[in-house]
Amino acid sequence: MLFSELGLKAEIQRAVAEQGYDTPTPIQQQAIPAVLAGHDLMATAQTGTGKTAGFTLPILHRLSSGPNDRLTRVARTPRVLVLTPTRELAIQVEESVRTYGKHLPINSLAVFGGVGINPQIANLRRGVDILVATPGRLLDHVQQKTVDLSGIEIFVLDEADRMLDMGFIRDIRKIIALLPKARQNLLFSATFSPEIRELAGGLLHQPVSVDVAPRNTAAETVKQRVIETNREQKKDLLEHLFQTRGLHQVLVFARTKHGADALARRLDKAGIKSAAIHGDKSQGARTRALSDFKDGKLVALVATDIAARGIDIDALPYVINYELPNVAEDYVHRIGRTGRAGMEGEAISLVCHEERPNLKDIEKLIKRTFEREVVEGFEPSAVAAPRPPQPPRGPRKPQPAGPKSGQNRGGPQQHRSGSRHR
Ligand code: AMP
């Protein structure tokens, strides 16, 4: 199937062609006709499947067709509301709207927290057709009466599962209550949990269901590898991987903000240009890090799960799990950053003794067993190294910078080239 067969307006087709796309992805093939026909939609699709264009293209078509188009409208209040869990995703969705809508007289705006509200207010006043927002900041605008949601015709809830994970359910319900009753609703979620089902039940009317990414399967094009080592050696091993394998544009996942900062500093010191991205960074710092990473000015971007959500980079070649996530499903999200749109990608997980149960959970979830590799000089010791004295239970603490040299308790240090399989 080609984009030209979907019945989208010529201006939209032109913008899509300018992006170099001629074939819609599976989700686009299914979602676009359903949205064009005015149906509600329940889509189970992860980032990387082309879901953003899957809703953006038909929305642009609907907005620019029919009696309510810009020329005949008096008040320019938003007609489409897209809610996203993170600022990064809001920015990216709004960028997509602008990219695909560039030949149409439709304008858009992203509003999110962490930046000044006044420029957003000024932009809202000028008139916006498609508003992309994170829930908290949108409610700020509602409270200040700087946004009018009474003209919303299409409501999109993007990454709904992550919204619930982040505790946005009450905000979402408040926002839905402000929307006109007659509207089209589109819900996107990577997973279809009972909570999502419940949310969908209250929101969607006779939805068309689209399920393109069978739950918890990783892209076929991602090569997934597991390297076993000791916790104390991970920083050295990571540095070694960068230095011996010529890795570039690597998204590195750490569990904690503190850990992400420490790791980025350490890599940077070793001459591997790096930055950290997490919730404590200012919006400016996050945007700058992301654009430096996209432009190739940074070799590594160290991120926490929430910050990395929605990072959309074409052809990201490597993901490294410096630490495994606590929640197995996050693994699927993480490695979904690479191997997109059919490109090759590699996901490497560094796993220490303490994380073996997490690895088992992941293997159970994605229904495959990984081969365990070791890198010479960084082998795990036979038994877990004793942890420094600390309270017996509780959430995992961020590790201090740790011993500088690779004081592994396991194997020889001399031969650090290559990896071997067990
Ligand atoms: P998304 O799942 O929306 O985050 O999109 C993932 C990536 O796929 C984005 O970088 C899009 O620009 C890209 N993309 C979207 N649609 C297509 C398509 N039909 N063909 C190739 N790439 C696409």
Side-chain angles (χ1 to χ4, degrees), residues 172-212:
I172 292 171
R173 291 200 191 285
K174 271 191 219 161
I175 291 164
I176 292 174
L178 298 167
L179 305 179
K181 292 278 171 295
R183 55 169 202 270
Q184 186 177 11
N185 301 289
L186 318 178
L187 189 152
F188 288 79
S189 179
T191 58
F192 199 39
S193 62
E195 293 78 23
I196 293 291
R197 217 177 288 262
E198 194 194 323
L199 180 66
L203 177 68
L204 307 174
H205 306 285
Q206 302 182 326
V208 170
S209 286
V210 172
D211 188 351
V212 287

Side-chain angles (χ1 to χ4, degrees), residues 87 89-95 98 108-112 115 120 123 128 130-134 137 141:
R87 317 160 194 196
L89 190 60
I91 292 170
Q92 282 167 16
V93 168
E94 200 264 337
E95 269 173 14
R98 252 184 295 147
S108 53
L109 176 70
V111 301
F112 43 81
V115 295
Q120 296 176 355
N123 280 321
V128 169
I130 301 182
L131 181 63
V132 186
T134 53
R137 179 52 65 94
H141 282 288

Side-chain angles (χ1 to χ4, degrees), residues 69-82:
D69 73 14
R70 183 183 169 186
L71 301 175
T72 56
R73 250 162 22 107
V74 185
R76 194 109 181 260
T77 62
R79 301 172 62 191
V80 176
L81 173 64
V82 183

